[in-house]
Amino acid sequence: MTLPKLSIAAKLYAIFALMATMTVALSVATLAGARNHTALTAQLESANSGKGNVERVSSLVSALMEETRDTIMAQDPQGAATHAKELAELNDRIGGAISEWQASMPSSDAAVISHFAVQLGEFRTFVPELVRIASEQGPEAARKWALKHHPDEIREALSKDMETLSQHYTDRAQHLYSVLGDSINKTALLLGLLAAFAVLLATAGALIILRGVARPITEITRVTEAVAAGDSQMVVPFSERGDEIGALARSIAVFQRAMRHNEEL
């Protein structure tokens, strides 16, 4: 790499300034990539958490439906009362699971589960009354009340909502995983290019020092020693250069001409 119109100091300053710029660029790119990856990872974890919450609630709802059947199909009032108690406990657990889910979800998910939350709320409202009837009047009365106030359509609509919500989180997680992978690859490529350019700059700086400073200085030192020993005929190299090495070579040439002039006298 040659920059004949610049001094050695200017060349080195330019190289070092570019290397410093590349270092800053690498730092900025690394920080930006880390922040982006952190944000995408958080979104991915949120999507996986949402799917886990759907599965948790779905499992509880399935258990609630099973316990409802056991309650209304019990053979005696005591059995109906026992199942009714477990039914009430499951209903409370569903409420707790929904509360925990809503407390941990990002605000963007509130609209996603709003319809599901309404459907689930309507589904859960039948439980206290069914528990009361089963405990006080027995399974036959509970069965008649359930058939009238808790038709299959409500359970089917809730099941469909849970399937839709689960698929939403699955698709979202897959999309975010793909985006995260692409982001990591792009960041790695950018950092690789910046690092390669930084290595090229460092190599260029080393070549400038070697070819523009180290070797010429060695040669000038040899010439200076010869002139100091009395050799006034040696050709002084690099005097045509416009940088610091050229200035030093011309100074030696002036001293050498003075020596020749004294010899002629």
Side-chain angles (χ1 to χ4, degrees), residues 238-250:
F238 309 117
S239 58
E240 76 285 354
R241 290 176 53 156
D243 55 18
E244 296 87 346
I245 297 297
L248 180 58
R250 289 189 290 274

Side-chain angles (χ1 to χ4, degrees), residues 91-168:
N91 199 40
D92 291 339
R93 288 175 61 188
I94 292 175
I98 288 294
S99 297
E100 292 176 7
W101 183 6
Q102 291 176 327
S104 63
M105 75 172 59
S107 57
S108 58
D109 280 2
V112 175
I113 74 162
S114 60
H115 183 264
F116 171 73
V118 171
Q119 289 287 97
L120 184 60
E122 293 177 354
F123 174 78
R124 293 178 59 227
T125 56
F126 88 97
V127 174
E129 184 64 14
L130 180 63
V131 169
R132 186 189 67 79
I133 294 174
S135 301
E136 296 177 358
Q137 303 177 30
E140 182 64 27
R143 183 162 51 252
K144 292 179 179 179
W145 184 91
L147 291 174
K148 182 178 180 181
H149 295 90
H150 189 57
D152 293 339
E153 288 79 4
I154 296 178
R155 295 192 294 271
E156 292 173 358
L158 184 61
S159 297
K160 185 177 296 184
D161 280 348
M162 286 188 291
E163 291 176 3
T164 300
L165 198 56
S166 178
Q167 188 61 47
H168 164 77

